[in-house]
Amino acid sequence: MSTDTIKTRLIHAGRDTPIEGGSPVNPPLVRASTILFDSVAHLQDVRSRRNTERLLTYGARGNPTAYALEDLITELEGGYRTRLYPTGLAAITQTLIAYLNPGDHVLIADSAYEPVRHFARQFFDRYQISYSFFAADGQGIEALIRPETRLIYAESPGSLVYEIVDLPALAKLAHAYGILLAADNTWGAGYLYSPLELGADIVVSAATKYLSGHSDVVMGAVTTTEAAWQTLNLSSDAHGMTVSPDDAWLVLRGARTLSTRLPVHAAGALAVANWLLKHEAVAMVYHPALPSDPGHALWLRDFSGANGLLSFALKDKSEDAAIKVIDSLRLFGIGASWGGFESLVMISNLKKARTVTDWGGQGTVIRLHVGLEDTRALIADLEQALPA
Ligand SMILES: *Cc1c(COP(=O)(O)O)cnc(C)c1O
């Protein structure tokens, strides 16, 4: 056989072998950049419909594995459709960019994931978008609404200390003023909380956390109502937003066990929270499933459960005291993110992460993510790390 023939065969062989028999449980991992069409007419027909229908046209516009994940998240969140983004942060920034135009004003929760604050400070001036922060529990928000307010961006429970906002009340207020409501549902993972059912128009989440659940992939998702969909969809296509099929496949695999993982994380976190509450060295424990938590009543009303996150402050308010505890822990890894199978610890400063609420001297909190380890072992680790 000539090498020319081999060259051609190498390219054409083995590409349309029909598979006989049944079908695999999981959707196939389909890697694709170029998509081929039968004729120019076929290509033109598909292109003319791709802005309104989900059609395979080019890898930068999605792939079948990502479509499967989009459908799963759409079902979880109870929305119209879902877009995927390379990170949770990209999902948030793309949402802000899609719905806000020069001259618009946006209200952002004081409890929002800290990089959202950073993004607003870095880029909103350039886009001529103005912004204000509202108290994490929603107090006083109506007075902050301006004629040009277009979007309210909520996060409930909030990052680091889990403040809860009355989302149905916020949705009512937003809609009375013709304002869209977006909510970050990373804490609820599309499973413990349903912002769209409670009245939000847009729900954002980091699939990086519980949905994937294995600390091996980063991804973001935005699900919207039918009315809000096209604004996001067209903007995200224009910005070239898609995810790799390999990453989508990993998130899909992790998502299958979400409902069995979350209650284990939650039971562990509640046990640790209750143990910390009784500890001499601990001043404050933040976890919405604790009856002492300010958001507890709303959490009971609007959420179906909790997760593995909790934070606490020491009576010794110095940063050094917190660092000493963290460095003494053996089973909690020191690192960003959460939602994987493993326990993590992180130091946070609320003075930087909140501007509406005055945290006074209580700046430093220790955030724990309680993983799937034996809870007694985690408590024993905390016991040896905390001052006697
Ligand atoms: C982690 C996180 C994000 C961002 O997700 P990444 O994938 O890390 O970019 C967004 N919102 C919340 C509440 C988060 O905890």
Side-chain angles (χ1 to χ4, degrees):
M1 206 189 302
S2 78
T3 53
D4 288 350
T5 311
I6 293 172
K7 268 189 200 165
T8 305
R9 287 203 176 175
L10 272 173
I11 303 308
H12 286 268
R15 286 172 43 186
D16 51 11
T17 321
I19 299 168
E20 298 236 345
S23 355
V25 167
N26 286 293
L29 171 57
V30 182
R31 296 193 180 97
S33 56
T34 298
I35 306 298
L36 300 178
F37 298 89
D38 300 336
S39 61
V40 173
H42 182 203
L43 176 139
Q44 286 173 339
D45 169 55
V46 171
R47 285 205 170 185
S48 72
R49 293 184 288 124
R50 71 178 178 182
N51 286 342
T52 48
E53 298 169 50
R54 191 174 63 188
L55 296 165
L56 197 58
T57 56
Y58 182 54
R61 288 208 165 215
N63 58 77
T65 316
Y67 295 162
L69 178 58
E70 286 173 9
D71 290 343
L72 181 141
I73 296 174
T74 301
E75 275 194 46
L76 274 182
E77 296 285 2
Y80 173 65
R81 276 183 62 185
T82 297
R83 286 286 311 209
L84 299 175
Y85 300 87
T87 62
L89 181 57
I92 298 169
T93 58
Q94 284 292 318
T95 296
L96 295 171
I97 287 170
Y99 294 101
L100 295 168
N101 291 300
D104 289 350
H105 172 249
V106 54
L107 281 164
I108 302 172
D110 200 34
S111 55
Y113 176 64
E114 230 181 319
V116 179
R117 196 180 283 276
H118 177 73
F119 177 78
R121 287 203 180 118
Q122 286 279 111
F123 292 100
F124 276 170
D125 269 0
R126 182 193 291 187
Y127 299 148
Q128 292 173 285
I129 292 163
S130 55
Y131 62 99
S132 333
F133 291 97
F134 65 92
D137 62 2
Q139 288 260 336
I141 186 173
E142 192 164 5
L144 301 172
I145 293 175
R146 304 178 191 172
E148 64 273 23
T149 307
R150 289 284 167 275
L151 182 71
I152 296 177
Y153 182 84
E155 185 180 316
S156 186
S159 282
L160 308 177
V161 287
Y162 324 108
E163 305 96 323
I164 296 186
V165 73
D166 186 339
L167 204 72
L170 202 57
K172 227 183 211 170
L173 180 76
H175 296 154
Y177 284 90
I179 298 168
L180 286 170
L181 175 63
D184 185 324
N185 194 22
T186 303
W187 192 97
Y191 186 78
L192 305 169
Y193 194 43
S194 302
L196 295 178
E197 258 175 44
L198 298 176
D201 305 283
I202 301 144
V203 62
V204 177
S205 70
T208 307
K209 309 283 169 60
Y210 283 115
L211 196 64
S212 65
H214 292 74
S215 304
D216 52 8
V217 62
V218 286
M219 194 180 294
V222 184
T223 308
T224 76
T225 59
E226 186 169 1
W229 172 252
Q230 203 55 328
T231 304
L232 179 82
N233 190 42
L234 295 178
S235 173
S236 298
D237 274 338
H239 283 92
M241 286 294 144
T242 189
V243 299
S244 105
D246 298 71
D247 290 348
W249 190 90
L250 275 176
V251 177
L252 271 168
R253 164 179 272 221
R256 305 298 175 191
T257 55
L258 180 67
S259 69
T260 52
R261 286 182 280 115
L262 277 173
V264 183
H265 287 289
L270 189 60
V272 170
N274 277 315
W275 182 84
L276 285 169
L277 269 181
K278 292 190 208 111
H279 198 283
E280 282 280 296
V282 173
M284 186 75 194
V285 183
Y286 305 92
H287 183 66
L290 288 176
S292 57
D293 195 274
H296 186 66
L298 282 174
W299 174 77
L300 276 178
R301 189 192 72 184
D302 292 345
F303 291 76
S304 67
N307 62 27
L309 285 172
L310 69 133
S311 300
F312 65 100
L314 297 171
K315 282 183 185 153
D316 180 342
K317 295 186 175 76
S318 69
E319 195 180 61
D320 283 350
I323 290 172
K324 207 167 158 209
V325 170
I326 292 172
D327 282 342
S328 305
L329 288 166
R330 296 176 192 134
L331 296 178
F332 292 80
I334 302 169
S337 202
W338 43 269
F341 49 83
E342 81 288 13
S343 289
L344 292 170
V345 61
M346 192 68 177
I347 189 162
S348 306
N349 189 339
L350 286 173
K351 279 192 207 163
K352 287 190 207 148
R354 301 286 183 277
T355 47
V356 177
T357 310
D358 177 14
W359 285 89
Q362 305 240 29
T364 306
V365 294
I366 298 172
R367 183 187 71 193
L368 298 179
H369 175 252
V370 174
L372 304 176
E373 300 92 338
D374 177 47
T375 309
R376 285 163 304 184
L378 297 176
I379 289 174
D381 192 24
L382 283 160
E383 180 142 45
Q384 63 79 26
L386 280 163

